[in-house]
Structures are given as structure tokens and as C-alpha cells.
Amino acid sequence: MDTTSHSSPHGTPDNTPDATPDTIPAPDLLRSPGAREALAAARSGITLYGALGCAALVAVAALAGAGQPVNTFMWVRAVLLPVVAVLLHRMTGAASRGSRRAFDRVSTLTAIMPVAIIGVDLIPGICPLWYAAAQAVCMLPVVRVAFLTRGPALRAAFPKSSTSA
């Protein structure tokens, strides 16, 4: 009988193929009602952000179709932000299944995005005021997600590692 330990491509024993350091938060903490509620609220916030981003894209397309001036920056931003929403939504789903890496990415991106988006929109002449205001509204759910990912329930479910890799 072969008693040697075999490893998966992730370096984990075959008897726990899904158990990687990236996906092992404190399981009981991730199952706690507070963590589940916070992750569900984060996911719905990202969904709302995506819907608002799509609405901004439709507004840009409608204005362009009506012959109003729409610059390249507005088109690029209007297309990219809904794509980012899809990626954030997937990462939030992975975090809800226990992925520490996905949680860290969502937490980081939701903190950086509002500052970057609104900061760039404030550059004089880059976009009209209405567009900057629409982008700021799109960032409101993202700001909420940033606060949720830093709340006590998710900090407990995804504690910082005490060892540095």
C-alpha cells in the first residue's frame, strides 16, 4: 500500500484539494451571520455599482447618438467601469467562498477606485461636470463596500496573517 503523500498543483495534500492558504479563513467566522451579511451587502453594492456604470454608458451612448459632444475619455471610462464591476463581483463571490486573496483585492480596489475615479474627473477639461457627477454617484456603492470590507465582521473572518511570506 502506498503511504506517501501526494500533493496537488497548489502544494496541498490530495485529501484536501480545495484547502489552500488562500482559501482558509477561520471557517466558523466566515459562516457567522455578520460575515455572511457583510459579504452579501458587498456583493449587492458591487451589483448596484455595475448597474449605475451601465446607466452611465447608456447616457454617453445616447448623447453621442443625439450629436452631443462625447470625448474619448468618457467612452473609455464608460465602457471600462462596468467591466470592472463584473470583475469585482466575481472577486466578491470568491471572497464569500473563503478566498483571502479575492477579499484582499476587493478591499484594496474599493478603497482606491473612488479616490482615483473622482480625482481624475476633477482635472479641469477632462470631462463635463454632469459626467463627473454621474461617476461620483457610481462610486457611492463602492465606498460602502470599502467600509464593509473594513468592518469588524469581515476583519474577523479574514484576519491578517501574523507571518510574512
Side-chain angles (χ1 to χ4, degrees):
M1 179 172 198
D2 183 12
T3 59
T4 58
S5 175
H6 299 281
S7 294
S8 72
H10 299 292
T12 59
D14 285 340
N15 61 349
T16 57
D18 294 330
T20 64
D22 175 52
T23 58
I24 306 177
D28 293 331
L29 294 173
L30 189 57
R31 288 187 209 118
S32 74
R36 284 195 320 260
E37 289 172 14
L39 284 166
R43 204 161 188 188
S44 67
I46 297 300
T47 301
L48 177 58
Y49 155 65
L52 291 170
C54 288
L57 175 58
V58 168
V60 169
L63 285 172
Q68 298 296 317
V70 176
N71 63 30
T72 304
F73 170 81
M74 292 166 64
W75 274 113
V76 170
R77 172 78 68 82
V79 169
L80 284 179
L81 290 184
V83 171
V84 170
V86 171
L87 297 174
L88 278 172
H89 195 269
R90 290 186 63 170
M91 282 187 260
T92 306
S96 69
R97 290 185 301 278
S99 172
R100 171 68 194 203
R101 177 179 282 166
F103 174 76
D104 286 341
R105 288 178 178 171
V106 169
S107 181
T108 300
L109 286 171
T110 57
I112 294 170
M113 281 176 55
V115 174
I117 298 296
I118 294 168
V120 169
D121 286 347
L122 294 175
I123 296 172
I126 201 157
C127 63
L129 183 58
W130 72 266
Y131 189 75
Q135 293 296 298
V137 169
C138 288
M139 288 296 108
L140 292 175
V142 175
V143 170
R144 180 170 184 250
V145 174
F147 280 104
L148 285 168
T149 59
R150 285 158 180 75
L154 293 180
R155 280 196 322 247
F158 293 97
K160 295 271 185 202
S161 173
S162 62
T163 60
S164 54

